[in-house]
Amino acid sequence: MAKQFDVVVIGAGPGGYVAAIKCAQLGMKVACIESRETLGGTCLNVGCIPSKALLNASHKYDEAKNHLSKLGIEAKGISLDLKKMMTNKDTIVSDLTKGIAYLFKKNSIEWITGLASFTSNTEITIKNGKSTQNVIAKNFIIATGSNVTTLPNIKIDEERIVSSTGVLSLKEVPKHLVVMGGGYIGLEMASVWNRLGAKVSVVEFANKIVPAMDNDVSSELQKLLEKQGVQFYLNHKVIAATIDKKHVNVDVQALDGKTKTLSPNVFLVSIGRHPNTNNLNLAAANIALDEQGFIPVNKQYQTSISNIYAIGDVIGGMMLAHKAEDEGMAVAEILSGQKPHINYNAIPAVIYTHPEVACVGKTSEELSDSGVDIKSSKFPMSANSRAKANNDTNGFVKIITNAHTDQVLGIHIIASNAGAMIAEAALAMEYSASAEDIARTCHAHPTTSEALKEAALGAWSQSLHL
């Protein structure tokens, strides 16, 4: 006889496992289906967490080898043990996946391993190897995330031609790594392997890296990464990639039609992600996809079938773990009769290069194109006392406001700890703060967050330390 639940969540990534926990906390009987043997989805297993572990380790290696001497710290005989670095990464991932399993147990959530597919709008079949079981639920939450996107003429083998998954587990530092795509993931992986000794080239079709980013930040980040040794081919596209005995021959073409061949040891394809809806048999539940393959939902995250909800990457928008988490919480609250709201204009995004890049709200270009009369202010980290004391003065804070009302419309930060600094910016935007509100808020001294206050002062009145 099929097991019955109030809610069944399909997918145990950040959106799915948070939705499951919140539903259980609100008194529902919950099951969560996951095809992997571990919880946490792409983010925890082969995405956000392992990449940040490698970014942290590679940054420390680079600091010890190339930058500590100017602080009076002489470190000799610095060497890389890549196997140990990878083991540390794997341990971190393992500890965190076990942590989610503990939370499932604590909240009495039934974790079922296998591939789920709908047989109707109230029942799914779960296959795990040769075993099959059916589950019935009043409500379903689809949180199956996304997969890497590639080109039809490029075959990923995860050894020489790799995705964002394979590049996290290379067995040796490549002499030359070519990255296809100058987005968040591509730049982070370029940073990791560049620090560890690889020559790195990034091929980007657009005329700037991270095309949706504010132009001032994009330009500054490219300059800083170039100073670190990363080479960029902007306005170029990859037209073919073939493997020979020693290299991957990557043919790239410029806008003028001229082509050249790059010959790296490893070629990373990092051109985005697409929604993971394969094998769900959505037709059996009368759910159709849109033209891009996403699942359409209404403002309550309901699909075309009212008892089936969808969140995270499968519904489009910003493909970010924290966006999926907030949607997971929101659906749980909706199912319990509450009326939550997510302000999508106040969701921050971070690139974990060094320096980090973080932004929330609109860019100058977006606002100008919309005809909004804006005012902007930039405060350089070189004028911030804590950044100066840390010998880490690259970057700036940029605040964009409505020129007439002083309301903050966008905040863009490039700084060593921009990912932490952006939280205050997101809070300010969530509550429709003005630049004056931020400027009049007392900030501890000396901290890098004072740069945000100074930028706000500049937008509202006039910076003090510039």
Side-chain angles (χ1 to χ4, degrees):
M1 185 175 178
K3 291 183 178 180
Q4 298 188 28
F5 297 89
D6 296 319
V7 181
V8 168
V9 182
I10 305 173
Y17 84 72
V18 166
I21 291 172
K22 189 65 178 179
C23 283
Q25 289 176 342
L26 292 171
M28 302 171 215
K29 183 181 180 183
V30 183
C32 186
I33 320 301
E34 172 56 50
S35 59
R36 284 187 176 89
E37 296 295 325
T38 54
L39 301 171
T42 294
C43 174
L44 181 44
N45 288 277
V46 291
C48 313
I49 301 305
S51 65
K52 303 314 167 280
L54 289 181
L55 281 159
N56 178 60
S58 63
H59 178 61
K60 290 182 183 296
Y61 171 74
D62 180 60
E63 271 199 317
K65 190 173 183 180
N66 300 311
H67 302 291
L68 291 184
S69 60
K70 63 185 174 186
L71 304 181
I73 302 171
E74 298 298 335
K76 297 180 180 179
I78 301 296
S79 62
L80 173 66
D81 186 335
L82 184 61
K83 185 177 180 180
K84 188 176 287 187
M85 188 178 288
M86 291 295 179
T87 298
N88 174 68
K89 172 207 64 170
D90 294 340
T91 299
I92 291 168
V93 170
S94 177
D95 288 347
L96 287 172
T97 58
K98 290 174 183 175
I100 299 173
Y102 162 76
L103 291 172
F104 271 27
K105 186 176 181 180
K106 176 185 176 183
N107 289 282
S108 301
I109 298 165
E110 184 160 343
W111 167 19
I112 304 173
T113 303
L115 283 168
S117 62
F118 285 94
T119 57
S120 72
N121 69 318
T122 58
E123 186 173 15
I124 59 172
T125 296
I126 304 160
K127 294 182 179 179
N128 186 6
K130 294 182 180 180
S131 66
T132 300
Q133 63 175 303
N134 284 14
V135 168
I136 295 172
K138 295 176 185 176
N139 297 287
F140 291 92
I141 302 173
I142 301 171
T144 47
S146 60
N147 284 320
V148 295
T149 298
T150 185
L151 297 178
N153 61 332
I154 297 177
K155 185 178 180 181
I156 293 176
D157 63 7
E158 298 297 17
E159 292 183 6
R160 305 282 295 283
I161 300 179
V162 299
S163 70
S164 56
T165 298
V167 77
L168 293 170
S169 300
L170 298 180
K171 293 180 173 59
E172 60 183 15
V173 178
K175 291 181 179 179
H176 186 193
L177 170 70
V178 168
V179 179
M180 177 185 179
Y184 286 49
I185 297 171
L187 296 180
E188 289 180 0
M189 292 301 96
S191 293
V192 166
W193 295 105
N194 174 61
R195 294 169 189 164
L196 297 181
K199 173 186 175 183
V200 177
S201 305
V202 177
V203 181
E204 170 55 51
F205 182 71
N207 63 356
K208 67 174 189 176
I209 58 174
V210 197
M213 186 186 294
D214 188 272
N215 283 348
D216 286 343
V217 177
S218 176
S219 176
E220 182 69 10
L221 178 61
Q222 183 179 335
K223 289 176 185 176
L224 293 171
L225 291 177
E226 285 175 335
K227 281 182 71 175
Q228 294 170 20
V230 179
Q231 182 180 27
F232 290 94
Y233 291 91
L234 302 182
N235 293 312
H236 280 73
K237 65 179 179 180
V238 173
I239 55 178
T242 56
I243 297 174
D244 64 23
K245 291 182 179 179
K246 293 184 178 180
H247 302 96
V248 181
N249 297 309
V250 182
D251 298 326
V252 299
Q253 185 179 61
L255 289 179
D256 60 9
K258 292 182 180 179
T259 62
K260 65 179 67 179
T261 300
L262 305 177
S263 298
N265 309 94
V266 177
F267 176 46
L268 166 61
V269 179
S270 181
I271 54 173
R273 302 182 66 83
H274 64 271
N276 181 22
T277 55
N278 294 338
N279 306 312
L280 284 175
N281 194 25
L282 294 174
N286 293 314
I287 296 173
L289 304 176
D290 67 14
E291 293 179 357
Q292 287 76 42
F294 295 102
I295 300 175
V297 295
N298 62 19
K299 292 182 179 180
Q300 283 72 48
Y301 305 98
Q302 290 171 305
T303 65
S304 54
I305 305 302
S306 61
N307 71 311
I308 301 178
Y309 298 74
I311 61 172
D313 290 1
V314 291
I315 67 171
M318 302 170 79
M319 288 189 169
L320 297 171
H322 44 283
K323 176 252 194 189
E325 288 183 359
D326 281 6
E327 290 172 345
M329 286 185 61
V331 170
E333 291 170 343
I334 288 168
L335 289 172
S336 70
Q338 300 180 48
K339 296 182 179 180
H341 170 71
I342 296 175
N343 179 2
Y344 284 97
N345 199 43
I347 294 179
V350 185
I351 306 175
Y352 295 90
T353 50
H354 188 85
E356 295 176 350
V357 174
C359 59
V360 62
K362 302 293 185 182
T363 67
S364 294
E365 295 73 37
E366 287 175 317
L367 292 165
S368 295
D369 290 345
S370 299
V372 179
D373 192 7
I374 62 172
K375 184 178 181 181
S376 66
S377 168
K378 286 201 307 186
F379 187 83
M381 297 307 295
S382 58
N384 174 264
S385 57
R386 182 61 186 272
K388 198 78 173 176
N390 290 349
N391 278 300
D392 207 347
T393 57
N394 287 320
F396 55 81
V397 176
K398 177 179 180 179
I399 291 185
I400 310 166
T401 62
N402 183 302
H404 304 288
T405 67
D406 195 40
Q407 181 179 350
V408 177
L409 304 177
I411 299 179
H412 306 269
I413 305 173
I414 181 165
S416 60
N417 63 334
M421 292 171 66
I422 202 66
E424 178 188 353
L427 183 65
M429 289 202 60
E430 181 66 34
Y431 286 91
S432 301
S434 64
E436 182 182 359
D437 290 329
I438 298 174
R440 290 191 180 280
T441 299
C442 188
H443 288 65
H445 174 78
T447 61
T448 53
S449 291
E450 288 177 289
L452 182 61
K453 176 174 181 172
E454 288 283 354
L457 275 166
W460 164 57
S461 176
Q462 186 175 354
S463 296
L464 290 170
H465 292 88
L466 190 63

